[in-house]
Amino acid sequence: MTQAQEAARMEAVLREEFGERVRVAASPFSGVRVKVISDGFERLPPRARRERVDVLLPGAQILGYDLLTPDEASFFGEEELSSASLEVEELPLWPEALAQGAAEEITVRFPSDNFGTLGAPVVSTFYSLRGGVGRSTALAHTARAIAGQGLTVLCVDMDLEAPGLAALFEVEDEVAPGTGVVPLLAGAEVSGRIADLGNHILPVAESRGLYVLPAGRPDAEYARMLSHLDPMAWYGEGEVNPLRLLVEKIKELPEKPDVVLIDSRTGISPLAAPLLFDVSDINVIAFYPHPQAKAGTRALTRALLAAKSWRGDPEQPCTPEVRFIVSPVPAAPELRARYEERAQNWVGEWLSVARTEEGGPAFEALDEIIQVVSYQEVLAVSDSVMRVREDFGDFAAVAEWITGLVEPRDGLGAVAEEREEPTKAEVLDSLQFAGETAENQDLAELTATFLSTADVDKALSTDTPLVIGRKGTGKTAVFRVLASQEAPSVVVTAPSGMAEQFGWTPGVRFYAGLESQMRERGLPWGAVWTALVALAVLRVRPDEVPRPGWVDGELKTAASGDHNVGTATLDDLALLFNDSRAALRVEEWLQDIDRSLTEECVLLFDGLDTGFGGTDEERHRRSDAVAGLLTVVNEVGQNLRHLRFKVLLREDIWREVKLPNKSHLQARSVRLAWENQIDYLRIVINQAWRSDPYKRLVAGQLTLRDPKPKRKGFDLETPVEYWPEDFVREAWRVLVSERISGGKTAYTDRWVWARLADANGDHSPRALAQIMSKALEKEKILEEGSPYSRSLIRPKALVESLDHVSVAALDALRSDEFPELNPLLRTLELIGTTPFDAVRLQHADPDQVRLAREVGLLEGVSGSGGLERYRVPELYRKALNMGRKGQA
């Protein structure tokens, strides 16, 4: 029998009882809706009317009832039984919600879609279909974590049949008879209003900003009132809705909470439906990834996607956000990883029907909406969350899901007009970020934006002969600063494209010709580098340094106006080594040069990565040459008084090079890796600080928050390098806002830190400047059509700029740094998702895989069976068009 035939049969049954004014219509999904107009409903409450219909249609899946007397139908203007009146309503009740969630495709509109926030309070319901998964414990620890951020949190116990939240917070003894949620809702059903909440809300001792609204004191009167509550009736036509009244009353509290956390009853209980599908802004669903929970949680998730919150514009209602806690899983790393993968696969399938308004997949990064919580004995055996030390661990991420939706208490618009702050347009027009490579930057701009940190200062020191770092970490910036200082320096090698700026430096063809000459004469690289250094000093300071006495002829390098420096240098090397004892003589000549100087002179080496070329033969030549140079630094450099070596070297080259006493040189080196997050933020603050309007805006914001922004020994003229951490964060907040809502990494600084890291956790200043430069460009366009006042650059512009940075980073890796990785890169594009099983690279070149791991393209993920998976970091993932595994 079809749905339509079944509906016709039911309609015939009801007409025998109630007469002709009956209509039964099948829903588009499953079940039916019933409308009856009959005198038989006189003096019957809604529940009794439904019971009369249910008796006649046993086992029927009735999604909605319209049961009216003739007078009621006339009053509501519903005398006619039109088809339109029987359409499935979007009621926040289980039958309707589960039916709506059965659609093959569901369009969603989350508050976080445009990285927006919500006015206080943000309401979050914690729910689980089955018990025993730590739902209430998760809520309690999340509440403490949020309160720890300085926000006000109200926890509401809506598990009315089994209240326990007050006991978790150790305030159960303070719950007075007649107080709590149940008395409030029961009273509203009768009076149509919620009583004053002052006597019902309890503060949690020793936790500022944390409050509890308990379910009530479970006694006989509590049970009586609970038995009369009928949440399904609250959503009938013209009915009083106590739940909505309660939420509105909470919003009117003198100290309005920033966040309301609701602990819901498990299972398909009547009150759970409106909590999830109506009043919540974000639902946190806890489940254990056991097959018993799969089908039910799937149906629940689909129903949540179809829900429409009553928050905001009725014409464009929001879909409540949905997040998942997987708990409690075994703590062993390999088991935790297995359950996490299973949960991601399940949730990915559940959410696969969700589509944005543009028609694309609504969920990309499932790992950001799923938090796995391992079993912890301290939580399992604790009678109260107040007895657990304040280490919120896994629950800190849950707190960020919720606080990421909380509207900031102030923004750019909070600055008083009388302060005469610059307009946002003025500041945007004045901002500039140095997204170019250090080689291509104007020297004045590079000097103005150069940031000094502890590592950078060490890199600049003449006591540090070796500076190591991946491409983009600032090695060339250090090189250019040293080369431009008034202190004497000699550029021996420089990055490609800068030869004219420094007269001449060796290049690919020179090194090839040099190696040919070395073979003929049996020369080691160490001797050749010693000679090249001496010739470079002679070329720069021909009138100050002595000539080699054993050479029979004039050195062409010292001749002024010779534009064929490469050829001249090769000829000079031939002269210098035309002696059986030339290697020793060259070293002695360099020592003579050193003694002739009266002040320190820095010998600069950069561009050793690409300067040799990229073929296998050229890279082999580079490896031998760098080993020879570093041997000179180690053995000869320490005997020099005025000549100080400064070699700037890419990290992967340093790792591969083999030389005696390598550890000794490493002890005198510095690695530019930007491991300090605050220093990383200082990079863009320092660049923005060139803008006078930005300076004035930040000064105004600091004054607004702190009437005395000038601390002891600090004012806004202090260089950014010496700012205290909170000032750096405040300047960052003004620039790009504090939060990116919607994900686990809700804070913009953490988001940038995570997205711009390679697989080794290293960070590039260039990538940060690039994303800020692109975001600034996007913001100027967005601001024209949609003004944004919370910050100068909205988080949306920042997020949408990541693709640009990813492409630039991959291009640099592919073409400039490691062209040998191209076959592996093509394989990763074909794999298409990350992380992926390690077996998928079993046919790849092992040397390429090893190199990819060394340079931060791949991260190996180990399990009980050894290396099990590889992960591609966000910095490269987008450019490789790789999705995240489990992506919905």
Side-chain angles (χ1 to χ4, degrees), residues 673-732:
W674 299 93
E675 297 173 336
N676 184 289
Q677 185 176 340
I678 290 297
D679 279 347
Y680 198 55
L681 298 184
R682 291 184 203 271
I683 295 168
V684 291
I685 302 302
N686 193 46
Q687 294 185 14
W689 207 241
R690 294 177 293 167
S691 159
D692 184 67
Y694 176 69
K695 277 186 178 181
R696 290 189 285 125
L697 184 62
V698 171
Q701 290 287 307
L702 291 173
T703 303
L704 185 70
R705 288 178 172 237
D706 180 1
K708 298 179 179 179
K710 291 187 178 182
R711 301 182 177 188
K712 185 177 181 180
F714 174 82
D715 61 36
L716 291 174
E717 297 305 316
T718 301
V720 174
E721 292 95 319
Y722 305 110
W723 284 16
E725 181 176 321
D726 56 336
F727 273 50
V728 175
R729 292 194 183 280
E730 182 63 20
W732 172 264

Side-chain angles (χ1 to χ4, degrees), residues 99-173:
Q100 295 284 354
E104 293 183 0
E105 189 172 292
I106 302 172
T107 300
V108 297
R109 184 175 178 271
F110 297 115
S112 62
D113 280 347
N114 293 315
F115 307 98
T117 52
L118 299 169
V122 168
V123 180
S124 177
T125 293
F126 282 62
Y127 174 84
S128 60
L129 193 66
R130 302 171 63 87
V133 295
R135 180 198 72 248
S136 298
T137 300
L139 180 148
H141 283 290
T142 300
R144 294 181 68 201
I146 295 174
Q149 298 178 23
L151 300 177
T152 302
V153 187
L154 174 63
C155 301
V156 183
D157 192 351
M158 288 284 187
D159 189 354
L160 306 184
E161 287 80 3
L165 207 55
L168 270 179
F169 286 111
E170 294 187 348
V171 295
E172 188 174 34
D173 293 340

Side-chain angles (χ1 to χ4, degrees), residues 649-869:
L649 193 62
R650 212 170 64 196
E651 187 166 6
D652 60 289
I653 301 175
W654 165 252
R655 283 198 297 265
E656 291 178 354
V657 73
K658 297 178 181 178
L659 70 153
N661 299 319
K662 186 175 182 179
S663 59
H664 179 66
L665 184 57
Q666 184 165 12
R668 299 164 59 212
S669 69
V670 64
R671 180 174 181 265
L672 295 179
W674 299 93
E675 297 173 336
N676 184 289
Q677 185 176 340
I678 290 297
D679 279 347
Y680 198 55
L681 298 184
R682 291 184 203 271
I683 295 168
V684 291
I685 302 302
N686 193 46
Q687 294 185 14
W689 207 241
R690 294 177 293 167
S691 159
D692 184 67
Y694 176 69
K695 277 186 178 181
R696 290 189 285 125
L697 184 62
V698 171
Q701 290 287 307
L702 291 173
T703 303
L704 185 70
R705 288 178 172 237
D706 180 1
K708 298 179 179 179
K710 291 187 178 182
R711 301 182 177 188
K712 185 177 181 180
F714 174 82
D715 61 36
L716 291 174
E717 297 305 316
T718 301
V720 174
E721 292 95 319
Y722 305 110
W723 284 16
E725 181 176 321
D726 56 336
F727 273 50
V728 175
R729 292 194 183 280
E730 182 63 20
W732 172 264
R733 184 195 67 80
V734 172
L735 197 59
V736 292
S737 190
E738 185 179 26
R739 299 174 185 274
I740 291 177
S741 62
K744 191 185 296 183
T745 50
Y747 292 88
T748 52
D749 57 347
R750 297 183 192 178
W751 185 91
V752 164
W753 185 250
R755 296 306 189 279
L756 299 187
D758 69 10
N760 296 323
D762 289 340
H763 295 82
S764 160
R766 185 183 306 164
L768 180 58
Q770 285 173 337
I771 198 171
M772 294 303 299
S773 182
K774 192 65 177 179
L776 175 62
E777 178 185 321
K778 286 182 175 290
E779 180 62 35
K780 291 178 179 179
I781 297 172
L782 292 169
E783 184 70 12
E784 292 179 0
S786 177
Y788 183 86
S789 64
R790 295 192 184 102
S791 60
L792 292 169
I793 298 174
R794 69 195 72 195
K796 178 180 181 180
L798 196 67
V799 172
E800 291 182 352
S801 300
L802 181 59
D803 286 6
H804 169 79
V805 178
S806 183
V807 170
L810 188 66
D811 284 347
L813 196 71
R814 190 195 303 266
S815 58
D816 299 338
E817 299 179 55
F818 307 103
E820 64 267 37
L821 286 176
N822 277 319
L824 180 62
L825 293 174
R826 287 191 289 271
T827 300
L828 294 177
E829 289 173 332
L830 291 173
I831 290 174
T833 58
T834 179
F836 57 88
D837 291 338
V839 70
R840 302 194 69 176
L841 291 184
Q842 62 181 335
H843 299 302
D845 185 335
D847 289 337
Q848 291 186 28
V849 175
R850 175 190 55 78
L851 178 60
R853 295 185 68 176
E854 288 180 355
V855 302
L857 173 64
L858 286 178
E859 177 190 8
V861 181
S862 299
S864 57
L867 182 65
E868 292 186 349
R869 291 180 296 168

Side-chain angles (χ1 to χ4, degrees), residues 225-467:
M225 288 187 288
L226 178 60
S227 68
H228 286 283
L229 294 181
D230 187 5
M232 293 186 69
W234 300 345
Y235 290 88
E237 187 71 37
E239 296 288 337
V240 170
N241 192 317
L243 179 60
R244 288 186 174 179
L245 291 176
L246 177 59
V247 174
E248 287 291 346
K249 195 71 172 181
I250 290 172
K251 292 167 65 175
E252 297 171 4
L253 285 168
E255 188 176 354
K256 182 169 64 175
D258 298 291
V259 171
V260 175
L261 303 182
I262 298 175
D263 192 26
S264 170
R265 179 70 172 158
T266 59
I268 305 180
S269 59
L271 185 55
L275 293 176
L276 293 165
F277 307 125
D278 187 25
V279 302
S280 280
D281 299 309
I282 174 169
N283 290 301
V284 179
I285 309 303
F287 72 97
Y288 181 77
H290 188 278
Q292 289 180 331
K294 185 176 182 180
T297 312
R298 177 186 188 273
L300 163 68
T301 301
R302 297 284 177 89
L304 289 172
L305 297 175
K308 297 292 183 287
S309 170
W310 68 311
R311 156 99 66 175
D313 184 357
E315 297 299 320
Q316 288 187 312
C318 288
T319 307
E321 301 273 354
V322 59
R323 302 288 184 271
F324 300 89
I325 293 178
V326 182
S327 169
V329 303
E334 62 274 12
L335 293 177
R336 179 185 170 110
R338 186 184 306 168
Y339 279 105
E340 183 170 10
E341 183 173 2
R342 177 189 289 184
Q344 285 198 15
N345 290 335
W346 285 9
V347 173
E349 191 277 324
W350 300 343
L351 300 177
S352 61
V353 297
R355 291 290 180 270
T356 64
E357 293 177 304
E358 293 75 27
F363 295 90
E364 183 182 69
L366 293 182
D367 59 323
E368 291 195 351
I369 64 170
I370 300 172
Q371 180 63 29
V372 177
V373 178
S374 299
Y375 174 82
Q376 300 173 57
E377 186 174 357
V378 65
L379 298 182
V381 303
S382 177
D383 296 331
S384 161
V385 297
M386 306 306 293
R387 299 178 187 271
V388 179
R389 62 187 178 90
E390 292 189 12
D391 178 9
F392 304 114
D394 295 326
F395 302 111
V398 181
E400 288 189 13
W401 289 340
I402 299 164
T403 57
L405 293 173
V406 177
E407 189 170 52
R409 293 174 180 174
D410 50 22
L412 300 186
V415 179
E417 293 183 4
E418 60 268 20
R419 297 183 186 277
E420 299 182 356
E421 301 294 344
T423 66
K424 178 176 176 178
E426 289 174 332
V427 183
L428 290 179
D429 287 341
S430 69
L431 285 174
Q432 185 178 0
F433 299 101
E436 290 289 334
T437 61
E439 299 96 292
N440 298 327
Q441 267 188 274
D442 176 76
L443 182 59
E445 180 187 43
L446 183 139
T447 304
T449 60
F450 188 77
L451 185 72
S452 176
T453 66
D455 285 345
V456 170
D457 288 345
K458 188 176 180 181
L460 292 170
S461 170
T462 56
D463 293 328
T464 306
L466 179 62
V467 180

Side-chain angles (χ1 to χ4, degrees), residues 507-589:
V508 176
R509 287 186 293 275
F510 174 84
Y511 287 122
L514 178 59
E515 187 176 56
S516 177
Q517 185 170 303
M518 289 169 59
R519 287 199 191 107
E520 290 178 10
R521 298 175 181 271
L523 296 172
W525 271 105
V528 172
W529 278 117
T530 304
L532 284 173
V533 169
L535 289 172
V537 178
L538 178 62
R539 186 170 64 250
V540 174
R541 311 175 76 166
D543 300 327
E544 301 177 43
V545 300
R547 268 49 170 189
W550 77 95
V551 173
D552 184 15
E554 183 67 26
L555 293 175
K556 297 179 181 179
T557 300
S560 60
D562 191 343
H563 297 291
N564 300 312
V565 182
T567 304
T569 302
L570 288 175
D571 290 344
D572 287 347
L573 288 172
L575 281 174
L576 290 171
F577 289 106
N578 192 21
D579 185 287
S580 60
R581 293 177 294 175
L584 179 59
R585 289 184 181 276
V586 167
E587 184 176 331
E588 290 174 345
W589 178 37

Side-chain angles (χ1 to χ4, degrees), residues 195-208:
D196 182 77
L197 299 180
N199 295 328
H200 298 262
I201 294 176
L202 302 173
V204 176
E206 301 179 3
S207 292
R208 184 177 179 183

